[in-house]
Amino acid sequence: MNALLPYGSYYGGEAYAKMNFVRRFSLLVFAFLPLVFLRAEGVERALGEIFCGPTAEYEVVPPVFPSRPDPDTADVVRWIWVEERMNVARQDAPVRAPVFLAAGECRDPDDLILVRWPSREVIPTQADDVRRGKDGDIARLHLWFTIDLRGGDRVRLALVRRKAEKMAAATRIVTRVVGSRLQVHAGKLSAFFDTSGDGRKPLMALQLSDGPMADFNGGIGPSVSWKGVSGPKSEITQSSPVLWGTGPVFAKISAQFRDESGAVVTDSFRVFADGSLNLIQTIKPPDQITGPTLIEQDFLNGRIESKNPLTVQPQTAEIVDSLVDVHSGYVVDALLAAEKSNGWLVVPGSLGGVAGRVMLDRDGQFRIQGPADLTRGAGDARPGTVKAFWAELNLVPAHREGNGLERAALLAAGQPLVGVVERPGVSLAMAASRIRDNVKEMKPVGWINESLVRFLDGKTNPFPKRNWTAESDPDSWVASAEKAKAKVMGNSSRPLQDAEKGRAAGPLDPYHFTYGTTALVYWLLHDDLPGPVLNSLRAQMEAVRRELGRTNEEGWPYLDVFFRTQNMQMGPPLLTLADAGSDPGLRRYYRDQLSAPTLAAVMLRGLRPYAGSPQSKPGESDSLYQGVVDFMLRATELSLNESLGLQPVAYGRYLDAVDVNADLFHPAHPRSEDAGGIFARANFFRTQSHLHRWLAWGPTPFIALLQTPPQEGSSFPGATEAWQFANLLSGRWKNWPDQSWLFLASALPEKAATYDPRPRPAAVTTVRIQHRDDGNRITWDSRADAVAYRLYRIRHGAPPQWIGSPYRGGKHLDDGTDRIDPEGNAGDAYIVHVLDKDGQESPW
């Protein structure tokens, strides 16, 4: 069913023919999903109707050249990789796999089955969002299944052409219809929905075993407020019956509403076997109104009753245990009931802002908020780029733990499992080659990128003539920066504003190193950068430290850029640490910059805040910023052959956003307009809850190419999606910063194949604290692997404080095992990190 068309439109004219097509199609659904009818008040509803979508374009087929036939894999249509990245075991966890198909590959879903590899054990699956091409073949679908994984596991499955083997038995989510009430029972969860369509919103009650029992007697559903329409709030009235169906993985319930402005709101609930509840909300703005702004939306809004008093408890959304207080404004809410051992974690699909926050007042008014301040045609959202808004919410059952709910469940919720779908024959080398095509065809900007392109074209002396003698002197670079600052400031003595910092840095602006100089990493990796160029680079990195180096409130170094944003700071550390012969003190400086908690502390989905400083009110980040930071950090890891603590969830940010319905919410990538506008492959709303830098993916489609390759077979998770995105870019205009990550994405996968970092030294296990009049005395036993130690104070509600930071007058190398913290108090705890002979520090 097309989630963006009002269900009521299916009852007349052309739409009636569409409904008949859907119903005819439903008779084919599925080997994945056995056909069952639910009866309610004498009306039969075919399951297939709710699991279908509108027509769609077929996948662009990579030029895969057939190799010697392998009879063992001849029937494989797609490989599907599933990776657990949060180091938390999963049991009966639902997995979404977005499958894109080419014309002629699949006539009916009944033709394909999912199997474990290489055992070929059949896995029960359920299809959703099934979309056909104009000729009737299957163009794309979401394939759902459940899986058990150990923490950190990566497994490969195969989607194969069906033979005569018998399907495995599939356990259905239990549903029952009594009058106009649909009852769904799954694991710990019971959910009740009103199906009458008489104006009530659909969700009537939620019951969690030994947890909250919430009744919404009048029904509960969405709420929206607009700016630029008839009034600030628009009354929502139901305009369609509720549709539902069930299968081996989830039961799906969908209802659609209109408001007074003409906007259409669709709520689709999925109730999974593990007791979790997924809610997808789409909002199609009114077509007749230009430029409306969705200033507020709620996933659910209504009155709640409960036998046990309910409370809402915020919990930190941080992933790293020792850094939970670094960005304290990032939280998710837990819904708890008095004297009950279980509760719900309320986790938005995209963290940031008010999305997913729960409001519960004393009068029983209950709200779960959705993303706010969304617009179709202002700011970064060009006119027409937003077809419909999309938002996701998950209610995850979890046991009580301390004052909240168990951390393992929170971490698992931070990475809903998504299958990475690979076309047989698309290799890592093939993806890297397509990226390299983009590098060579670009019109380079700046002498460094020009030199790279000349080098790739076979020039033996690609570098231009420059004043290398002057460039090898850090003082000359500092003088140039000071001259640029004087030009910006004039005679004023006021502080430099954030928006001025780039211009005031002149040639030392770290933004330009990140986006325009990292092509030099190729020569640094191979240790063959010409001497004059190498000396110039080293002088610039030293000058950056002198001119822009600062120390934050907790004792770590950073570079003074616009709001301390980490993406702009990533170039100098990469360029310095990729140079094995650079000054050891300079290397230590940039290592310490990358170890700062503001960079290491990541939230669910691997999110970091926009501004690189601790904050109580989180500023929402965007996909481009996230991609640049993670990509450059991984490039630095590969250059050093060391671990710098990149959270593995970063590899999946783009892959987890791949969505067969992306084209229903926003259009093709802006650079694919001349290709018919058909490339809308990943849903931006899955990675950010706002429209800043709308449709700017940057390097995110390529970071998966930099992960450690799997050992099993030639399939590589992420290669197909990287090829598809590189193919989109090839032959089309590219912005000048693209050169940096396109080059690195083509050059670094070979480093990932040999990446074998030494273990980082473990932190000291036993730390003793003595409270004295002059502060806290901290002692610990010496370690044989330690060259030096670093002491960090951990105080609730505050980021870690570096005691004796060398950037605040302490010692860079201190091998003593006895320190005084003059500002320590009785409630403080301490962590002691080890620095080993290779310069590696204990991980957070």
Side-chain angles (χ1 to χ4, degrees):
M1 172 70 62
N2 181 355
L4 301 181
L5 290 175
Y7 297 144
S9 70
Y10 277 81
Y11 293 101
E14 179 183 356
Y16 182 77
K18 293 180 182 177
M19 179 185 72
N20 282 340
F21 168 77
V22 172
R23 290 191 181 278
R24 288 196 304 272
F25 173 67
S26 71
L27 297 177
L28 303 172
V29 179
F30 288 132
F32 301 121
L33 183 62
L35 184 65
V36 171
F37 293 89
L38 296 177
R39 295 178 180 270
E41 299 178 344
V43 179
E44 292 183 341
R45 303 190 186 280
L47 285 183
E49 186 173 341
I50 193 173
F51 299 110
C52 300
T55 59
E57 300 287 345
Y58 289 107
E59 179 176 61
V60 175
V61 181
V64 177
F65 301 102
S67 56
R68 180 182 301 175
D70 183 348
D72 291 335
T73 61
D75 60 342
V76 175
V77 178
R78 295 290 186 275
W79 298 108
I80 298 180
W81 291 92
V82 184
E83 181 174 7
E84 203 294 314
R85 308 185 191 104
M86 302 296 287
N87 203 31
V88 176
R90 314 293 179 101
Q91 186 173 8
D92 199 24
V95 183
R96 176 182 65 88
V99 181
F100 292 80
L101 297 161
E105 280 197 299
C106 179
R107 184 66 185 176
D108 298 305
D110 190 34
D111 297 338
L112 305 174
I113 56 173
L114 185 68
V115 299
R116 301 186 187 277
W117 197 265
S119 70
R120 287 185 175 262
E121 175 191 354
V122 177
I123 299 174
T125 54
Q126 180 171 343
D128 196 12
D129 304 311
V130 181
R131 302 177 62 185
R132 288 182 177 264
K134 294 179 181 178
D135 62 358
D137 283 358
I138 302 298
R140 57 186 70 174
L141 76 162
H142 280 137
L143 191 65
W144 288 84
F145 53 96
T146 60
I147 198 167
D148 294 344
L149 289 174
R150 293 171 299 181
D153 266 3
R154 179 163 61 184
V155 299
R156 184 168 64 147
L157 313 172
L159 192 60
V160 301
R161 299 201 180 278
R162 170 180 288 282
K163 296 180 181 178
E165 59 262 44
K166 184 179 179 181
M167 281 291 295
T171 302
R172 227 172 239 295
I173 306 300
V174 178
T175 59
R176 182 186 179 196
V177 177
V178 178
S180 62
R181 184 68 64 94
L182 172 67
Q183 303 174 3
V184 183
H185 302 286
K188 304 173 183 177
L189 171 67
S190 295
F192 300 84
F193 297 86
D194 184 87
T195 63
S196 64
D198 62 0
R200 286 187 174 185
K201 293 175 183 176
L203 183 59
M204 304 298 293
L206 287 173
Q207 298 179 0
L208 183 64
S209 298
D210 199 24
M213 300 180 66
D215 292 322
F216 309 100
N217 291 332
I220 193 170
S223 172
V224 298
S225 298
W226 296 95
K227 180 181 179 181
V229 296
S230 57
K233 284 191 176 293
S234 298
E235 184 68 22
I236 284 186
T237 57
Q238 187 168 338
S239 61
S240 73
V242 175
L243 299 182
W244 69 93
T246 190
V249 182
F250 59 86
K252 182 178 181 181
I253 300 91
S254 187
Q256 198 165 77
F257 313 87
R258 283 187 181 273
D259 70 9
E260 295 172 333
S261 73
V264 178
V265 183
T266 304
D267 275 0
S268 293
F269 300 85
R270 292 185 182 90
V271 182
F272 290 99
D274 64 357
S276 60
L277 175 68
N278 171 246
L279 171 57
I280 301 264
Q281 184 177 94
T282 62
I283 302 175
K284 188 176 188 305
D287 291 329
Q288 71 275 18
I289 300 176
T290 302
T293 298
L294 182 65
I295 59 175
E296 187 177 81
Q297 65 167 308
D298 294 325
F299 289 101
L300 299 171
N301 191 328
R303 297 192 64 79
I304 187 172
E305 295 180 5
S306 177
K307 296 179 180 178
N308 296 85
L310 299 180
T311 58
V312 178
Q313 176 68 42
Q315 293 191 207
T316 177
E318 295 279 8
I319 290 175
V320 184
D321 287 341
S322 57
L323 299 176
V324 294
D325 287 317
V326 172
H327 302 298
S328 56
Y330 284 88
V331 297
V332 297
D333 285 330
L335 187 62
L336 306 167
E339 300 178 358
K340 299 294 183 179
S341 62
N342 297 321
W344 271 301
L345 286 165
V346 183
V347 183
S350 182
L351 192 68
V354 300
R357 299 306 305 272
V358 180
M359 303 293 160
L360 178 62
D361 65 25
R362 295 180 180 178
D363 297 329
Q365 190 66 26
F366 178 83
R367 296 175 60 196
I368 301 181
Q369 296 176 280
D373 295 321
L374 303 177
T375 182
R376 298 183 72 182
D380 287 340
R382 297 178 306 281
T385 58
V386 181
K387 296 180 180 179
F389 302 116
W390 184 98
E392 183 177 29
L393 178 79
N394 295 286
L395 296 181
V396 181
H399 296 296
R400 280 186 182 265
E401 187 177 83
N403 294 326
L405 295 174
E406 60 181 328
R407 185 159 172 76
L410 176 70
L411 295 177
Q415 187 222 339
L417 297 179
V418 176
V420 180
V421 182
E422 295 299 316
R423 177 180 283 273
V426 177
S427 65
L428 175 61
M430 183 177 171
S433 176
R434 197 71 182 109
I435 297 169
R436 195 171 295 114
D437 294 340
N438 284 276
V439 175
K440 296 179 70 173
E441 75 187 16
M442 290 185 72
K443 181 179 180 180
V445 176
W447 70 265
I448 293 173
N449 288 319
E450 289 171 359
S451 298
L452 166 64
V453 174
R454 285 196 295 266
F455 180 83
L456 294 175
D457 286 337
K459 301 287 185 179
T460 56
N461 186 21
F463 295 96
K465 293 181 179 180
R466 296 175 63 87
N467 187 355
W468 297 116
T469 301
E471 289 195 17
S472 65
D473 182 4
D475 291 338
S476 68
W477 290 104
V478 171
S480 295
E482 287 294 322
K483 184 178 179 179
K485 181 192 289 186
K487 186 175 180 180
V488 170
M489 297 295 292
N491 295 323
S492 173
S493 59
R494 62 176 173 78
L496 191 67
Q497 296 178 6
D498 273 285
E500 299 171 327
K501 289 180 178 178
R503 289 183 292 117
L508 297 183
D509 183 1
Y511 177 90
H512 293 297
F513 290 113
T514 301
Y515 292 96
T517 307
T518 48
L520 293 178
V521 169
Y522 175 86
W523 289 281
L524 292 173
L525 292 177
H526 295 85
D527 196 27
D528 59 359
L529 191 64
V533 185
L534 184 60
N535 291 334
S536 172
L537 177 63
R538 289 172 175 173
Q540 292 175 69
M541 297 303 98
E542 171 61 27
V544 168
R545 175 175 66 165
R546 291 186 196 174
E547 182 70 8
L548 301 175
R550 305 286 188 273
T551 302
N552 71 10
E553 296 85 344
E554 292 78 43
W556 275 269
Y558 69 94
L559 300 180
D560 192 24
V561 298
F562 178 81
F563 285 108
R564 302 190 200 176
T565 54
Q566 291 291 350
N567 60 315
M568 296 183 187
Q569 300 188 57
M570 297 305 292
L574 170 58
L575 290 163
T576 300
L577 296 175
D579 174 12
S582 60
D583 176 71
L586 192 64
R587 290 171 67 84
R588 183 74 265 163
Y589 180 87
Y590 287 119
R591 278 177 178 269
D592 291 341
Q593 179 189 330
L594 296 182
S595 70
T598 51
L599 184 64
V602 291
M603 282 73 72
L604 304 182
R605 301 301 205 303
L607 185 71
R608 294 183 180 90
Y610 180 74
S613 58
Q615 53 198 289
S616 59
K617 294 183 179 179
E620 299 166 74
S621 191
D622 55 63
S623 297
L624 177 62
Y625 166 87
Q626 290 294 305
V628 171
V629 175
D630 293 331
F631 189 87
M632 294 299 178
L633 184 59
R634 180 56 172 173
T636 309
E637 285 189 327
L638 295 177
S639 300
L640 278 169
N641 194 33
E642 292 182 8
S643 171
L644 298 174
L646 177 67
Q647 223 296 326
V649 76
Y651 299 125
R653 186 174 293 111
Y654 177 83
L655 300 174
D656 291 355
V658 174
D659 189 322
V660 301
N661 289 324
D663 60 313
L664 302 181
F665 313 121
H666 53 75
H669 188 280
R671 302 175 201 176
S672 69
E673 293 171 357
D674 59 340
I678 62 174
F679 195 96
R681 196 167 176 105
N683 184 0
F684 275 87
F685 289 116
R686 285 193 179 276
T687 62
Q688 62 186 62
S689 59
H690 56 90
L691 299 176
H692 187 218
R693 298 190 183 120
W694 183 238
L695 301 186
W697 282 113
T700 51
F702 304 127
I703 189 173
L705 301 184
L706 308 187
Q707 63 187 321
T708 305
Q711 301 299 314
E712 305 90 346
S714 60
S715 172
F716 185 92
T720 296
E721 293 304 333
W723 185 95
Q724 289 285 359
F725 196 80
N727 188 62
L728 156 74
L729 297 181
S730 185
R732 300 181 176 90
W733 175 86
K734 289 172 277 291
N735 198 7
W736 72 268
D738 291 330
Q739 293 175 106
S740 112
W741 48 72
L742 285 170
F743 171 70
L744 292 172
S746 69
L748 285 173
E750 76 173 272
K751 295 292 291 185
T754 60
Y755 181 62
D756 186 23
R758 299 176 297 279
R760 297 170 73 178
V764 174
T765 54
T766 302
V767 179
R768 297 177 289 274
I769 305 172
Q770 180 184 1
H771 305 295
R772 310 190 317 186
D773 292 340
D774 60 347
N776 290 338
R777 181 189 180 200
I778 302 96
T779 59
W780 58 93
D781 295 331
S782 63
R783 283 261 298 271
D785 59 343
V787 171
Y789 302 95
R790 289 183 171 178
L791 176 67
Y792 304 115
R793 181 205 302 141
I794 305 299
R795 181 174 292 171
H796 180 66
Q801 186 79 27
W802 188 347
I803 307 302
S805 166
Y807 305 102
R808 291 196 164 178
K811 296 180 181 179
H812 261 291
L813 294 177
D814 190 340
D815 58 359
T817 59
D818 187 323
R819 307 272 173 88
I820 299 294
D821 176 12
E823 298 179 6
N825 60 41
D828 292 336
Y830 293 86
I831 293 176
V832 177
H833 280 185
V834 168
L835 264 69
D836 67 14
K837 62 182 178 57
D838 298 314
Q840 297 188 120
E841 182 179 350
S842 305
W844 288 105

